Amino acid sequence: GAVVSQHPSRVICKSGTSVKIECRSLDFQATTMFWYRQFPKQSLMLMATSNEGSKATYEQGVEKDKFLINHASLTLSTLTVTSAHPEDSSFYICSARDLSGVPHEQYFGPGTRLTVT
Amino acid sequence: GQNIDQPTEMTATEGAIVQINCTYQTSGFNGLFWYQQHAGEAPTFLSYNVLDGLEEKGRFSSFLSRSKGYSYLLLKELQMKDSASYLCAVMDSNYQLIWGAGTKLIIKP
């Protein structure tokens, strides 16, 4: 089956610094990738939809200048959390959609645990 | 607005059967997914229903009624490793997944 990798799996950073998270589709081309955030004991919250070669579409309430998304190739999307604060500590998960597959299933990366101190 | 409802938490006994319900109201429908998520891990795909009826896959089955906006996930012969959250998600007319809050399933010996 389709595999999506995420790097790093865990990161601890100091308040005010920036962190970049990579999401890669390993064996398929993903024109669309999704970035989710999940706080403890809560469901997935879609942050943004990343389309290759164009600007990301952000969900309401998500600051696009704080959460920078770049989808430069069909296999790589990156999320940069700029000027991170403790409230940004969360589990960030990416997923990729393989349009050649049926039924447009999303394949999830293993997630990145971000802790901001 | 779009809405997915599922129970917050359920408890069942090892070896038993449990049914997790999901009701939805979405703008358009392109299928309903069930995912399993263990604590601290990403969701993993369990099932997909786009037509009415029951889809069986081993110990897990998923049912859909589009006219009622209703689905359930049925887990048989429960094992301790089935303790997890089960997420119901509907793909809307824009092929975007709308997620339920998840049902935490606790399995007791």
Side-chain angles (χ1 to χ4, degrees):
Chain A
V3 178
V4 175
S5 71
Q6 233 177 292
H7 178 80
S9 57
R10 289 180 178 271
V11 59
I12 301 173
C13 71
K14 292 185 177 181
S15 185
T17 61
S18 295
V19 174
K20 179 184 284 188
I21 303 170
E22 292 187 350
C23 178
R24 293 181 185 272
S25 58
L26 298 185
D27 50 3
F28 67 99
Q29 293 184 330
T31 54
T32 303
M33 290 184 172
F34 303 88
W35 286 98
Y36 293 88
R37 181 168 52 183
Q38 186 175 35
F39 292 105
K41 298 183 180 181
Q42 296 186 22
S43 189
L44 299 171
M45 291 177 53
L46 179 65
M47 298 175 66
T49 301
S50 168
N51 295 298
E52 187 266 338
S54 64
K55 291 183 179 181
T57 303
Y58 289 82
E59 295 300 301
Q60 192 172 8
V62 178
E63 300 174 57
K64 61 180 181 181
D65 294 331
K66 180 173 179 62
F67 298 99
L68 302 179
I69 292 173
N70 184 278
H71 193 158
S73 77
L74 287 172
T75 58
L76 174 64
S77 176
T78 60
L79 168 68
T80 301
V81 182
T82 63
S83 186
H85 291 287
E87 56 265 31
D88 298 323
S89 298
S90 186
F91 191 45
Y92 291 85
I93 308 172
C94 74
S95 70
R97 191 162 68 198
D98 181 4
L99 288 179
S100 66
V102 179
H104 303 294
E105 179 186 342
Q106 289 187 26
Y107 300 95
F108 285 87
T112 297
R113 177 78 57 190
L114 170 63
T115 302
V116 184
T117 60
Chain B
Q2 308 204 92
N3 194 47
I4 310 284
D5 284 318
Q6 50 182 131
T8 304
E9 187 173 296
M10 299 182 71
T11 303
T13 305
E14 189 177 15
I17 299 173
V18 71
Q19 178 175 310
I20 303 174
N21 295 325
C22 172
T23 58
Y24 63 90
Q25 289 179 308
T26 57
S27 54
F29 181 83
N30 277 302
L32 185 144
F33 295 80
W34 283 97
Y35 284 85
Q36 180 190 61
Q37 186 178 26
H38 285 99
E41 299 179 11
T44 55
F45 171 79
L46 288 179
S47 68
Y48 170 77
N49 293 69
V50 67
L51 300 176
D52 290 349
L54 187 68
E55 294 279 343
E56 297 186 78
K57 190 185 294 185
R59 293 189 298 114
F60 293 4
S61 302
S62 56
F63 171 83
L64 174 68
S65 169
R66 288 171 296 170
S67 62
K68 295 181 179 179
Y70 168 70
S71 172
Y72 67 73
L73 180 69
L74 190 72
L75 293 78
K76 302 177 184 177
E77 301 171 16
L78 286 170
Q79 302 175 9
M80 297 304 294
K81 67 178 182 179
D82 297 329
S83 292
S85 287
Y86 291 86
L87 307 175
C88 172
V90 172
M91 187 165 280
D92 68 9
S93 55
N94 295 317
Y95 293 98
Q96 183 160 304
L97 280 178
I98 310 301
W99 293 87
T103 298
K104 182 179 180 181
L105 178 62
I106 300 169
I107 310 296
K108 295 185 175 180

